[in-house]
Amino acid sequence: MNHPGTPADLAELPKAELHVHLEGAVRPATMEEFLARSALSVSLAFSDLSSFVDLYGRVWATMTQPGDYARMVREYCEDAARAGVRYAEVHITTGARPFPCLIEAVEAASKQRDVILRFIVDIPRTFPIEVGFALLEGARGVPDVVGIGLGGAEQGYPPEPFAPLFDEARSRGLRSMPHAGEDAGPESIRGAINALKAERIMHGVRAVDDPQLLVELSERGIPLAVCPTSNVLLGVAPSLEEHPLRELWDAGIVVSVNTDDPGYFGCDLVSEYAIAGRLLGLDREGYGRLALNSVDSSFASQELKEEMRTDIADWVRSG
């Protein structure tokens, strides 16, 4: 594919990151420290979503000491700022912790100056809905929590049973941002939209299996927060060259690119933008459009959105 090449100043393009898990953004060296202090013997190998979810849970189980979540927030913000991230909505799974890790993460985020963080309560779909309600209750009154998510392997765990949980979350002012259309097909995306009233879909790449669903996503303006490297490493797409990003983009869907779990996948947001640039043949204006998609898909304040839109336009003109 002919394209102008990756801009040398791509890291300076202002970006929002909308699909990243705090526990999955842990730096590899920090992960090794967490593992070393536990009695767990953990292989870091994975081959698909199921084996990755198992690994993720094993490492997650070591993040139990006060200071762990503050450290992960600080380190994520340092890494994200180098990639041009100004604002991020970060998934966090807070259950079974002997300390208030959500409050710790929020306090650490409030001290960051380069990246504004907001949090999404991530509900494991393989757990009973009562666990989800407990996690939701733990986020009551925390103003930096902006949404509720639904994560984990989709096969056998459709979104519809979680409708009462998402109804309650929306009644509290939280936005609906479930995972769907990763290892399950279009029916998972439709369930997330119809039952959970999804305002943004995490992944959603399997929408390409249903042309009518592509039209619906485009017409309704429901954004997809896509993670190309994650999709390839977990077997959702056979290769980057065969990733459906181009089909989603050409269908007029508001697509952003994100890292998902960069601590495991060895990626950052600059590399994901470079991948998108290659797959989509983006010029400088196209990269700006991709960054604008991330801002427009976010639940940042209007003031911050306007500031970022202006700075993105300045970046586009500066090339």
Side-chain angles (χ1 to χ4, degrees):
M1 179 183 297
N2 294 323
H3 59 93
T6 304
D9 61 345
L10 186 55
E12 298 173 19
L13 171 62
K15 309 169 186 72
E17 179 151 43
L18 307 178
H19 187 165
V20 59
H21 298 263
L22 180 61
E23 297 93 343
V26 59
R27 286 175 178 169
T30 302
M31 186 192 307
E32 291 292 344
E33 288 185 35
F34 290 167
L35 290 170
R37 72 190 185 195
S38 76
L40 295 174
S41 177
V42 177
S43 167
L44 298 180
F46 57 88
S47 58
D48 54 18
L49 181 59
S50 177
S51 61
F52 176 72
V53 169
D54 181 66
L55 166 61
Y56 189 97
R58 290 173 183 272
V59 177
W60 178 88
T62 70
M63 300 169 179
T64 56
Q65 295 188 9
D68 287 354
Y69 274 71
R71 177 179 179 178
M72 288 190 290
V73 164
R74 290 193 303 270
E75 293 181 351
Y76 168 74
C77 287
E78 291 170 0
D79 297 340
R82 283 194 291 270
V85 176
R86 300 270 192 89
Y87 172 87
E89 292 172 2
V90 180
H91 286 74
I92 182 170
T93 307
T94 60
R97 298 294 191 231
F99 65 101
C101 61
L102 175 59
I103 300 303
E104 180 179 290
V106 168
E107 290 179 352
S110 72
K111 299 174 183 177
Q112 300 302 310
R113 295 295 172 260
D114 296 325
V115 183
I116 296 172
L117 253 60
R118 296 293 181 262
F119 294 92
I120 303 166
V121 177
D122 197 28
I123 308 300
R125 68 201 312 146
T126 55
F127 288 9
I129 193 172
E130 291 78 12
V131 173
F133 274 105
L135 295 177
L136 178 62
E137 191 61 26
R140 182 187 286 275
V142 182
D144 289 348
V145 174
V146 296
I148 182 173
L150 186 67
E154 293 172 82
Q155 294 289 351
Y157 299 95
E160 285 83 357
F162 292 90
L165 174 61
F166 275 70
D167 288 345
E168 175 62 25
R170 291 197 316 279
S171 76
R172 300 184 187 188
L174 300 184
R175 318 305 286 260
S176 174
M177 300 177 248
H179 287 58
E182 183 183 14
D183 73 322
E187 71 283 355
S188 178
I189 300 170
R190 290 192 180 280
I193 294 171
N194 296 331
L196 308 185
K197 306 299 186 289
E199 297 173 79
R200 185 172 74 231
I201 299 287
M202 302 297 169
H203 293 300
V205 293
R206 293 289 300 279
V208 297
D209 297 342
D210 183 342
Q212 184 55 43
L213 180 57
L214 291 176
V215 172
E216 183 177 344
L217 289 168
S218 176
E219 290 181 346
R220 296 180 62 177
I222 299 174
L224 303 183
V226 177
C227 308
T229 295
S230 169
N231 292 158
V232 172
L233 292 179
L234 299 184
V236 177
S239 68
L240 287 174
E241 288 67 30
E242 297 171 273
H243 192 280
L245 180 62
R246 161 65 79 175
E247 194 169 348
L248 298 170
W249 182 272
D250 288 348
I253 296 169
V254 179
V255 176
S256 64
V257 293
N258 309 269
T259 60
D260 200 1
D261 299 288
Y264 293 86
F265 300 150
C267 60
D268 64 16
L269 203 53
V270 173
S271 65
E272 296 303 291
Y273 268 65
I275 288 167
R278 178 168 60 85
L279 296 179
L280 301 175
L282 298 181
D283 57 12
R284 196 170 182 88
E285 185 174 350
Y287 281 107
R289 177 69 259 170
L290 191 62
L292 283 172
N293 282 356
S294 73
V295 174
D296 294 344
S297 300
S298 78
F299 298 108
S301 68
Q302 287 304 313
E303 180 181 6
L304 178 58
K305 284 185 175 183
E306 287 305 318
E307 177 184 324
M308 291 188 67
R309 288 168 181 146
T310 298
D311 291 344
I312 290 167
D314 290 343
W315 181 90
V316 171
R317 287 193 296 267
S318 69

